[in-house]
């Protein structure tokens, strides 16, 4: 039998020996059971919620074309998202490298030249096709490849979560920009009211029914409101710059805000707790990291067993000798097998196994921590839905009453039935109530975004298959 056929026979035998499958990876259900075995996860949320399946496309529920455009711009230009995409490409390259270790390597070995006059040694010229292959008898290379695949899956899930988190961050930043823009309007209105009080107090002093102290108090109040308006304006510009950075723009504070906050969307289905763990990309990434750690344990344990490498070559060489000035040509082939049996490594192999075991336990613990955090985020967001809705209703009533009381106190001051201090207190209460209800409305919208992100629903609707 020729060497190449011998090598092929050895390779086929080794492939059959290597056909034994690696141990199956932990499933999502198995990972949950191991990580959350001590936690009684209920079938429904503790906070009352609609148990219908979670729907995708939450960005459209705000019915804000400008917000849609900003999210699209951020997805195209955000630097953090671009870095996450590059990490996915790196993970895919690691899979290619690990897969290549399972395949034979084929190359060409060549040599050529001439003999020097003083060289009395024969010179060989020619080329040879050479094949080498490390046979994965015990699954070490397959475990390595499986770990790379699991890490790639985790990176892809991280990228999906980064996209969803970016869309949520843009939405929250957009709501802050709109809120601060309205705060600027309120602050300017408050300064204008304070300026009118200065004029009114001067008029009362001129006709002899006011005091100079009232004038000084009104002027001091006007200066304080102007200062507050400047501070709110600076906060608004800072919020716009933060949004522009998310969108990948130069932070020039030039994005025009909405005139008012988006109307609050209707209630949404929240599904089941366990479904959220299976749907959230960050939980999928955590589970795939558990699988990667499991495969690295298998790789470490497989290193205790012997390794087998096969090689074969086929080519044509020539030899020219100086003494006879004759050239000999011939075809040659070779085949060989080499095995390495680890007998003593100074504890390196056992130490590697202990390290990989600890990494796997750490991955399981990280999954448990993230799972409880994810469930807590949903419960907190659901609770905030009810609480903030009640607060907005109460504060809206307070705004109406405060504005009416402030108007009545100004009329009373104008005809001399009340003093300036009472008018300023009424106005301050009305303005504080309006700012408070504005903050609650913005918080409701932000919490709705948090709920969508916690439930794992995507911000876009997937295309029809």
């Amino acid at each position: 039998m020729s060497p190449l056929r011998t090598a092929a026979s050895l390779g086929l035998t080794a492939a059959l020996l290597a056909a034994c499958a690696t141990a199956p990876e932990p499933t999502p259900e198995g990972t949950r059971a191991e990580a959350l075995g001590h936690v009684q996860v209920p079938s429904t949320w503790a906070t009352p919620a609609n148990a219908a399946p979670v729907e995708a496309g939450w960005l459209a529920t705000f019915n804000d074309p400008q917000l849609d455009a900003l999210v699209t711009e951020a997805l195209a230009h955000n630097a953090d998202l671009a870095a996450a995409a590059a990490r996915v490409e790196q993970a895919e390259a690691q899979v290619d490298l690990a897969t290549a270790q399972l395949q034979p390597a084929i190359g060409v070995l060549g040599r050529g030249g001439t003999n020097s006059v003083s060289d009395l040694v024969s010179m060989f010229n020619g080329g040879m096709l050479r094949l080498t292959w490390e046979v994965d008898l015990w699954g070490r290379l397959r475990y390595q490849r499986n770990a790379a695949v699991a890490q790639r899956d985790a990176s892809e899930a991280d990228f999906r979560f980064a996209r969803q988190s970016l869309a949520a961050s843009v939405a929250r930043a957009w709501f802050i920009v709109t809120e601060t823009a309205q705060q600027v309007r309120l602050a300017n209105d408050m300064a204008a009211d304070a300026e009118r009080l200065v004029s009114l107090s001067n008029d009362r002093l001129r006709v002899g029914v006011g005091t100079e102290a009232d004038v000084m108090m009104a002027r001091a109040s006007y200066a304080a409101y102007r200062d507050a308006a400047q501070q709110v304006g600076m906060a608004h510009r800072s919020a716009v710059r933060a949004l522009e950075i998310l969108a990948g723009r130069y932070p020039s504070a030039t994005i025009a805000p909405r005139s008012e906050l988006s109307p609050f969307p209707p209630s949404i289905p929240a599904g089941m707790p366990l479904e959220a763990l299976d749907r959230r990309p960050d939980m999928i990434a955590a589970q795939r990291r558990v699988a990667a750690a499991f495969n690295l344990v298998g790789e470490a344990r497989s290193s205790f067993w012997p390794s087998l490498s096969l090689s074969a070559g086929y080519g044509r060489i020539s030899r020219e000798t100086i003494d006879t000035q004759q050239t000999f040509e011939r075809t040659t082939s070779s085949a060989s097998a080499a095995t390495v049996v680890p007998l003593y490594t100074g504890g390196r192999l056992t130490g590697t196994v202990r390290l990989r075991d600890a990494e796997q336990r750490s991955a399981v613990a990280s999954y448990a921590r993230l799972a409880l955090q994810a469930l807590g985020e949903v419960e907190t967001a659901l609770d905030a839905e009810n609480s903030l809705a009640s607060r907005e209703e109460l504060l809206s009533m307070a705004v109406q009453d405060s504005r009416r009381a402030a108007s009545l106190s100004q009329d009373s001051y104008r005809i001399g039935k009340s003093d300036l201090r009472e008018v300023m207190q009424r106005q301050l209460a009305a303005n504080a109530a309006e700012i408070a209800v504005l903050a609650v409305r913005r918080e409701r919208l932000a919490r709705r975004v948090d709920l969508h992100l916690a439930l794992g629903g995507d911000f876009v609707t997937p295309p029809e298959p």
Side-chain angles (χ1 to χ4, degrees):
M1 182 181 296
S2 68
L4 288 180
R5 290 189 177 182
T6 302
S9 178
L10 289 173
L12 178 60
T13 303
L16 293 175
L17 290 174
C20 53
T22 56
E25 295 178 347
T27 62
E29 294 78 9
T31 302
R32 281 201 307 268
E34 182 180 2
L36 302 175
H38 63 290
V39 180
Q40 295 294 330
V41 180
S43 58
T44 59
W45 300 106
T47 306
N50 184 357
V54 174
E55 300 175 353
W58 58 259
L59 188 62
T61 63
F62 295 105
N63 194 25
D64 189 339
Q66 194 170 356
L67 173 59
D68 297 343
L70 287 169
V71 170
T72 301
E73 183 179 357
L75 294 176
H77 303 295
N78 182 265
D80 290 334
L81 190 62
R87 286 192 290 271
V88 174
E89 295 181 2
Q90 294 171 12
E92 291 175 346
Q94 291 293 339
V95 172
D96 293 339
L97 293 175
T99 303
Q101 297 295 319
L102 290 165
Q103 308 299 325
I106 302 176
V108 175
L109 175 64
R111 182 177 181 180
T114 59
N115 294 330
S116 62
V117 176
S118 61
D119 187 6
L120 301 178
V121 181
S122 301
M123 173 66 73
F124 288 91
N125 299 321
M128 176 175 290
L129 183 67
R130 188 170 181 80
L131 179 146
T132 59
W133 181 31
E134 180 181 354
V135 183
D136 190 24
L137 291 175
W138 316 109
R140 180 180 63 84
L141 298 179
R142 279 170 291 164
Y143 276 121
Q144 189 179 40
R145 177 205 56 195
N146 295 345
V149 171
Q151 289 286 6
R152 179 204 61 193
D153 295 342
S155 296
E156 291 176 347
D158 285 337
F159 177 71
R160 293 197 301 273
F161 188 69
R163 290 181 78 253
Q164 295 185 12
S165 298
L166 178 60
S169 296
V170 170
R172 287 191 290 262
W174 175 241
F175 298 147
I176 293 175
V177 166
T178 307
E179 179 195 12
T180 54
Q182 292 185 265
Q183 287 179 348
V184 169
R185 176 183 58 79
L186 286 174
N188 290 330
D189 291 344
M190 290 158 60
D193 290 340
E195 186 178 15
R196 283 191 292 269
L197 283 178
V198 172
S199 299
L200 182 58
S201 62
N202 283 322
D203 293 340
R204 285 170 55 86
L205 178 63
R206 188 168 50 253
V207 298
V209 295
T211 65
E212 188 176 355
D214 285 346
V215 175
M216 294 300 102
M217 186 183 301
R219 291 175 60 182
S221 176
Y222 174 53
Y225 278 124
R226 287 184 60 191
D227 178 67
Q230 291 182 1
Q231 293 183 35
V232 173
M234 185 173 62
H236 171 67
R237 292 189 295 273
S238 296
V240 175
R241 290 190 180 97
L243 176 60
E244 289 170 335
I245 291 174
L246 283 174
R249 294 189 189 183
Y250 183 85
S252 56
T254 56
I255 292 180
R258 282 175 58 101
S259 59
E260 58 183 12
L261 288 169
S262 303
F264 193 74
S267 61
I268 61 170
M272 305 294 185
L274 290 181
E275 293 175 350
L277 298 182
D278 289 336
R279 185 172 47 248
R280 284 182 53 143
D282 57 336
M283 294 308 306
I284 296 174
Q287 196 280 328
R288 295 306 293 157
R289 289 190 172 92
V290 171
F294 169 85
N295 284 298
L296 290 177
V297 171
E299 178 194 6
R301 291 178 177 173
S302 299
S303 299
F304 282 93
W305 297 97
S307 63
L308 175 64
S309 298
L310 302 178
S311 63
Y314 179 83
R316 188 174 183 82
I317 63 173
S318 63
R319 183 183 66 183
E320 181 179 346
T321 58
I322 296 178
D323 53 348
T324 62
Q325 296 296 319
Q326 291 182 344
T327 300
F328 299 93
E329 295 186 0
R330 60 169 295 183
T331 299
T332 182
S333 59
S334 64
S336 63
T339 183
V340 177
V341 180
L343 298 178
Y344 177 74
T345 60
R348 178 178 60 84
L349 297 180
T350 55
T352 302
V353 170
R354 290 175 55 198
L355 173 64
R356 299 308 188 195
D357 282 336
E359 290 174 347
Q360 185 179 11
R361 291 193 299 272
S362 175
V364 173
S366 295
Y367 179 91
R369 175 182 58 82
L370 290 173
L372 293 177
Q373 178 180 320
L375 296 173
E377 289 173 354
V378 177
E379 294 286 2
T380 300
L382 288 173
D383 185 43
E385 287 260 311
N386 301 326
S387 176
L388 292 173
S390 177
R391 286 190 61 198
E392 182 179 354
E393 183 179 0
L394 293 174
L395 289 174
S396 297
M397 295 172 58
V399 167
Q400 295 178 2
D401 294 340
S402 298
R403 284 299 180 194
R404 177 60 178 165
S407 177
L408 291 175
S409 66
Q410 285 192 30
D411 293 341
S412 179
Y413 176 71
R414 185 175 292 106
I415 62 178
K417 290 186 177 181
S418 62
D419 59 8
L420 184 62
R421 188 182 303 274
E422 180 182 354
V423 175
M424 294 174 60
Q425 289 176 346
R426 298 289 188 185
Q427 282 189 342
L428 181 62
N431 293 331
E434 192 162 352
I435 291 175
V437 74
L438 180 61
V440 168
R441 286 172 180 167
R442 193 268 307 164
E443 182 69 13
R444 283 190 71 192
L445 292 170
R447 290 290 186 154
R448 172 55 67 86
V449 172
D450 292 343
L451 179 58
H452 284 297
L453 190 63
L455 291 173
D458 202 349
F459 60 96
V460 294
T461 303
E464 292 292 334

